[in-house]
Amino acid sequence: MFPSLYISHGSPMLALDPGASGTALARIAAELPKPRAIVIVSAHWESDELLVNANPHPETWHDFGGFPKALFEVQYPAPGEPQLAATVVELLASSGLPSRIDTTRPFDHGVWVPLSLMYPQADIPVVQVSLPTRQGPALQTRVGHALNSLRQQGVLLIGSGSITHNLRELDWHAGPESVEPWAKVFRDWMIEKLEADDEAALHDYRRLAPNAIRNHPSDEHLLPLYFARGAGGRFSISHQGFTMGALGMDIYRFG
C-alpha cells in the first residue's frame, strides 16, 4: 500500500534550484514502488466546489511572474487519466461529497514543480482534485478519507502546499540556516499535533496554533496537509527545512 504525502513545494524556482528538498523528493520517489497514477491536491487550484481534472493531456501552466526565462521553458508533459478521474468522482460521491469533472485544467506549479523532481520522466498519469478553500480543513480531511482506498490500487496521493507561507515576510537572501522564530514555533506546533493525532486541534489551528495567521494569512497552502493526513496512516517526517527565513519546506508521510 502506498503512503500519502504532504509536500511543501516552496518557490517555483525549486524546479531549477532543487537543493535539499529536491534531494529528499528524489529519495522518496526512489524508495517507493513506481505508482500507476498520482492523485494530487495543490494549493493553486482554489475553487468553490469540488472539481476533478479529467483533462487527458494537461498543459504545463507557468502560473507566476517575475522569474527567469528558463523557468518558463520547463515542461511537464505527464498525461491525465480520465478513467481514474471518474473513479475519484464516484468515491467522493459515495462519501457524500458531490464533485464535477473539469476537462480543461492545466497543471499549476503546485503540481509540476514537485512532480518534476520526483518523477522527471513525466510518464505517470496525474489527476488533480481542486481545493474548496472556503470549506476549510475538515472538508480536506473528508476528501482524503474518501480517496484512501486508492492507495491499495497503486495510486500515490499527494497534498502540495507549504507548512508555512507568508510571502510578505520572506527574506529572499536568507540562507537555509536562517529561520524566523515565529515560523519555527508554528511548524513545531503542527508537528506536535500531527504526532498526537489531535484532529480537533489541527482543524482549529487558526485559533489555537501560535502565530497561525502570521504563517498563513490565507490557508490554501496548509489545507493540502489535511487531504494527505485524511488519506493516509501513521504520521512521519521525511524532510524538514526552511528557505528564505520563513518558508517551510517540510515533507510529511502518512502511512
Side-chain angles (χ1 to χ4, degrees), residues 7 14 21 44 61 91-92 96 101 118 125 158 191 193 196 247 252:
I7 297 171
L14 188 70
S21 290
H44 296 281
W61 183 19
L91 289 171
L92 291 170
I101 287 289
M118 297 181 75
I158 297 175
I191 288 175
K193 301 307 177 188
L247 186 61
Y252 303 148

Side-chain angles (χ1 to χ4, degrees), residues 1-5 144-145 148 151 157 194-197 199 202 225-237 252-255:
M1 179 188 292
F2 278 85
S4 59
L5 302 174
H145 282 316
N148 171 282
R151 294 169 49 218
L157 304 182
L194 288 164
E195 288 177 336
D197 201 25
E199 185 169 282
L202 288 164
L225 168 65
Y226 296 91
F227 167 73
R229 177 181 172 273
R234 184 177 178 86
F235 166 77
S236 62
I237 299 169
Y252 303 148
R253 176 172 173 151
F254 296 88

Side-chain angles (χ1 to χ4, degrees), residues 184-200:
K184 183 179 185 299
V185 72
F186 172 84
R187 191 276 310 273
D188 291 349
W189 185 91
M190 290 297 297
I191 288 175
E192 176 187 327
K193 301 307 177 188
L194 288 164
E195 288 177 336
D197 201 25
D198 188 345
E199 185 169 282

